[in-house]
Amino acid sequence: MRNFKSILVTGGAGFIGSHVIRKLLINRPEAKVVNLDALTYAGNLTNLRDVETNSRYAFVKGDIQDAALIEKLFADYTFDAVVHLAAESHVDRSIENPMAFLQTNILGTATLLNAARTAWAEGFGDRIFYHISTDEVYGSLEADGLFTEETAYDPRSPYSSSKASSDHLVRSWHHTYGLPVVISNCSNNYGAFQFPEKLIPLMIRNIRDEMPLPIYGEGINVRDWLWVEDHASAIDIILHAGANGRTYNIGGLNEWKNIDLVHELIRLVDKALGRPEGYSKKLITFVKDRSGHDLRYAIDASRIEKELGWTPSIKFEEGLAATVDWYLNNGDWLDSVTSGAYQKYYETMYGNRE
Ligand code: NAD
Ligand code: DAU
């Protein structure tokens, strides 16, 4: 088991990163945590309001492609671990603007790898560079089968190929320079603070506001949903106990067809808002499919269970109900992140789908 004194988390103002920072501050009282985040549209410091006065936490606004800044941060904070989450993360945006994905996800990751290698040149010891990746690098499944850590890479969107590239870079720094690394590939996360461009918060908001519910294609695509706090726990465990050079798949064993999930969200939101059962079904709108839409993702998470003892802690029904409650009770957060630029995004993405 490793112990760290100074951890660099990139992308900590985003959805998963904010949960990871909270988890590390609670579980690791000996560690300082520095959050490096460029505060793109997806980064929001209100996601971390409850920890901002913690003396073991610091925020630095900056880009992971800024080599000089990262070199200075390594010198100032003497990091002994990096947890790298910063990324452009939304598939639809990658279809509209692939270059931003290549820059942040590929060049940004290479910049961080180089900085760690240089800063730790006198000896790697127990230090670790932990790269957070996605199950989308494995491509798309038909009705059967699961992604294992041995599944061949077959990314099919600019987002997933940029993440696959970054995984390859991390492994190449390990094999070529000996940099201690660990990688995890996780399925779809859900929970509080997710930007409402992603399916679950977008649908909750639209049901609340009685707006159309845009289902891509026929709604038959399948995703494996995991509670974000369970992902954060898995990350904490892998960071401290994952084997050097190893990859771990993380998933919820919880597959849902999009259309079924939207029906479940309609049931939960209508109930919470005191509407008659089935009231919002009329909002369902089938729209033009996502280009190259992956049919199904599903994870075999037996390695992390066997080797590190991690399994999801809560049932989907419980997590989804808590998530719906969170968004309905945090309408200010939802309204603030969907004001301004979000309206233009929504018009561009959905205006030409119908
Ligand atoms: P997110 O989009 O909510 O957050 C990304 C964060 O990175 C934001 O705070 C943003 O400001 C920051 N960022 C973006 N570009 C940056 C740059 N150039 N420099 C510094 N900071 C930058 O993403 P998320 O959903 O929290 O995903 C986090 C990581 O987990 C990503 O690497 C993603 O690929 C991976 N992942 C996500 C999921 C999921 O379901 N959301 C599942 C598996 C893996
Ligand atoms: O599998 C892990 C990945 O999960 C992460 O690496 C990505 O960062 C994350 O964005 C997520 O990717 P998806 O493309 O699966 O998530 P998204 O929420 O965008 O879409 C989930 C499914 O819902 C997908 O089949 C597309 C569909 N969808 C999505 C939106 C936003 C719709 O039908 N309508 C919508 O409006």
Side-chain angles (χ1 to χ4, degrees):
M1 181 72 83
R2 303 177 195 95
N3 264 310
F4 301 113
K5 291 202 173 64
S6 180
I7 304 173
L8 171 63
V9 176
T10 70
F15 166 48
I16 301 172
S18 60
H19 290 277
V20 168
I21 287 184
R22 209 169 282 112
K23 190 73 71 189
L24 290 173
L25 287 169
I26 292 169
N27 287 4
R28 309 290 163 178
E30 69 290 355
K32 287 201 170 111
V33 178
V34 175
N35 173 14
L36 171 64
D37 196 298
L39 298 184
T40 68
Y41 78 91
N44 191 340
L45 287 179
T46 60
N47 298 0
L48 287 162
R49 194 160 276 160
D50 55 328
V51 304
E52 66 192 10
T53 56
N54 188 317
S55 59
R56 292 185 292 113
Y57 168 74
F59 170 70
V60 177
K61 184 173 187 299
D63 195 309
I64 55 166
Q65 296 169 81
D66 184 344
L69 170 67
I70 294 162
E71 186 186 340
K72 183 173 178 333
L73 292 178
F74 267 92
D76 290 352
Y77 291 100
T78 55
F79 300 125
D80 44 17
V82 176
V83 183
H84 175 35
L85 296 115
E88 289 291 342
S89 70
H90 191 42
V91 174
D92 293 324
R93 287 186 193 255
S94 83
I95 295 167
E96 292 297 305
N97 179 16
M99 296 316 284
F101 285 69
L102 274 52
Q103 277 149 4
T104 286
N105 299 359
I106 304 178
L107 294 177
T109 301
T111 306
L112 282 168
L113 287 163
N114 248 347
R117 175 170 82 96
T118 311
W120 297 341
E122 84 284 3
F124 293 127
D126 264 351
R127 292 159 174 160
I128 196 99
F129 187 104
Y130 181 5
H131 177 59
I132 310 299
S133 193
T134 170
D135 60 357
E136 297 196 13
V137 300
Y138 299 122
S140 177
L141 294 164
E142 295 299 323
D144 295 322
L146 299 172
F147 296 134
T148 74
E149 289 83 355
E150 272 69 48
T151 302
Y153 274 34
D154 183 22
R156 296 147 51 101
S157 73
Y159 164 68
S160 56
S161 32
S162 68
K163 291 296 290 187
S165 305
S166 63
D167 293 9
H168 290 319
L169 289 172
V170 173
R171 292 196 181 97
S172 73
W173 256 252
H174 177 65
H175 290 291
T176 307
Y177 306 112
L179 187 74
V181 305
V182 67
I183 298 179
S184 57
N185 296 80
C186 188
S187 63
N188 289 61
N189 286 213
Y190 71 96
F193 299 116
Q194 186 168 32
F195 194 77
E197 62 189 351
K198 308 278 164 60
L199 182 74
I200 289 181
L202 185 144
M203 292 296 168
I204 295 173
R205 172 177 180 266
N206 287 15
I207 299 167
R208 182 195 71 174
D209 296 349
E210 301 196 44
M211 287 166 61
L213 308 179
I215 314 262
Y216 298 167
E218 296 169 49
I220 55 168
N221 305 70
V222 173
R223 297 293 182 264
D224 169 4
W225 293 94
L226 178 69
W227 173 241
V228 65
E229 295 192 31
D230 280 334
H231 188 191
S233 297
I235 289 173
D236 179 38
I237 292 168
I238 292 170
L239 176 67
H240 290 88
N244 181 9
R246 200 139 175 86
T247 295
Y248 299 90
N249 279 356
I250 309 170
L253 267 184
N254 176 42
E255 293 181 46
W256 281 76
K257 252 188 209 156
N258 292 340
I259 186 69
D260 297 340
L261 179 52
V262 170
H263 276 289
E264 184 58 11
L265 288 168
I266 288 172
R267 193 183 68 75
L268 289 168
V269 176
D270 279 347
K271 189 169 166 219
L273 295 178
R275 296 173 181 164
E277 193 169 339
Y279 176 79
S280 297
K281 283 186 183 170
K282 61 185 183 214
L283 301 173
I284 289 179
T285 311
F286 291 93
V287 299
K288 185 165 167 280
D289 208 353
R290 174 184 280 174
S291 304
H293 198 171
D294 288 340
L295 179 64
R296 175 172 165 260
Y297 306 141
I299 282 276
D300 174 350
S302 53
R303 175 181 287 178
I304 184 174
E305 179 175 357
K306 275 195 217 115
E307 296 183 10
L308 301 176
W310 176 91
T311 50
S313 73
I314 67 167
K315 293 210 162 66
F316 189 55
E317 302 80 75
E318 199 187 326
L320 196 65
T323 300
V324 165
D325 283 350
W326 189 87
Y327 285 98
L328 295 179
N329 292 329
N330 289 275
D332 291 354
W333 182 92
L334 206 46
D335 294 339
S336 73
V337 300
T338 52
S339 63
Y342 184 84
Q343 303 300 333
K344 190 162 178 286
Y345 164 82
Y346 203 88
E347 184 47 40
T348 313
M349 284 294 173
Y350 294 95
N352 56 10
R353 274 194 195 270
E354 284 160 35

